[in-house]
Amino acid sequence: MLDTYREVVTPEGVALHLPVAGPVPRAVAWSIDLAIRLGILMLVGTLLALLGAAGQGLYLISMFLIFWAYPILFEVLWDGQTPGKKAMSLRVVNGDGAPVGWLPAITRNLLRTVDMLPFGYAAGLIACLADPHARRLGDMVAGTLVVHNEHERDAAAAPVNAVLAPSAGLQPAEQAAVVAFGERAPLLTPARQEELANIVEPLTGSRGQGGVLRLYGMANWLLGRR
């Protein structure tokens, strides 16, 4: 199957394809949430400063809640999304695609302290790059995934501009991958389309845009567009 997708088969035998999010969109979402939390903290600090010494204690409590309770509450109560993840069309789910619950949300967020080691989320970044599903250490322990929220964008069909029979017999999984390319490629940049098409050059016999067009044609052929 195409990369960045994790296939999960439900007890009913239905295959779910979870589009896993990589470290870059996750980092952008985290930065947005950080800016929001800092803004809230500045506003709360300004108000509590009027209370003098009592306000200092309340400020420390507020800082703890804003930085630690903020992601947990949003992920559980807002369909796995914080404002930053919402802006980037991401959400947190369990490994089987089900909505994330309290225990996984608490676990993955508390373990950020480990992912931050030794500095700048270095451990989390290395884990994301090494794991086939781009999970940081907190996700691995909690059994969660960060995925692209595809419900927020319309699917696009392969352009019906060519029909080309594959030059070799394809296994069912390979046929599904070609069809998936035909459905997903219109949503990708031309450079990403060509990058994926180049992977199957032995099948298409062409690279670059020529390979992309040949894959479109094969997808149309597999979908019965004659």
Side-chain angles (χ1 to χ4, degrees):
M1 298 300 293
L2 294 180
D3 61 339
T4 74
Y5 268 64
R6 173 172 175 170
E7 183 177 83
V8 176
V9 180
T10 68
E12 294 79 15
V14 179
L16 302 177
H17 297 124
L18 304 178
V20 178
V24 173
R26 293 178 62 170
V28 175
W30 181 86
S31 299
I32 294 173
D33 284 323
L34 178 62
I36 292 173
R37 283 182 283 188
L38 290 176
I40 295 173
L41 194 59
M42 291 178 60
L43 178 60
V44 171
T46 301
L47 296 175
L48 292 179
L50 302 176
L51 300 179
Q56 295 180 6
L58 293 175
Y59 178 79
L60 293 176
I61 295 174
S62 299
M63 183 169 60
F64 174 82
L65 293 176
I66 290 170
F67 276 94
W68 293 104
Y70 169 100
I72 296 172
L73 291 175
F74 270 114
E75 289 176 2
V76 175
L77 302 179
W78 206 26
D79 195 27
Q81 294 181 305
T82 60
K85 288 185 175 67
K86 180 73 173 179
M88 296 300 296
S89 294
L90 305 178
R91 67 188 180 102
V92 181
V93 298
N94 285 330
D96 59 359
V100 67
W102 285 103
L103 183 57
I106 292 172
T107 301
R108 73 182 301 275
N109 282 289
L110 290 182
L111 284 176
R112 288 183 186 277
T113 54
V114 178
D115 284 302
M116 291 178 182
L117 298 174
F119 59 87
Y121 268 96
L125 177 60
I126 294 173
C128 279
L129 296 176
D131 185 74
H133 306 302
R135 296 174 297 177
R136 59 179 178 83
L137 298 176
D139 289 315
M140 295 179 189
V141 175
T144 56
L145 290 171
V146 178
V147 300
H148 292 281
N149 194 9
E150 291 197 320
H151 297 295
E152 297 186 358
R153 65 184 186 184
D154 296 328
V160 186
N161 56 4
V163 177
L164 178 66
S167 58
L170 300 178
Q171 298 296 322
E174 295 170 335
Q175 295 179 23
V178 173
V179 171
F181 176 88
E183 294 174 341
R184 292 177 54 202
L187 302 174
L188 306 175
T189 63
R192 181 59 171 156
Q193 293 177 16
E194 294 180 9
E195 179 184 354
L196 293 173
N198 289 342
I199 296 175
V200 292
E201 180 185 0
L203 173 64
T204 62
S206 181
R207 294 179 62 83
Q209 192 60 30
V212 172
L213 295 176
R214 284 177 171 270
L215 274 182
Y216 275 143
M218 293 178 188
N220 290 329
W221 188 87
L222 291 170
L223 290 170
R225 297 168 179 167
R226 302 289 194 271

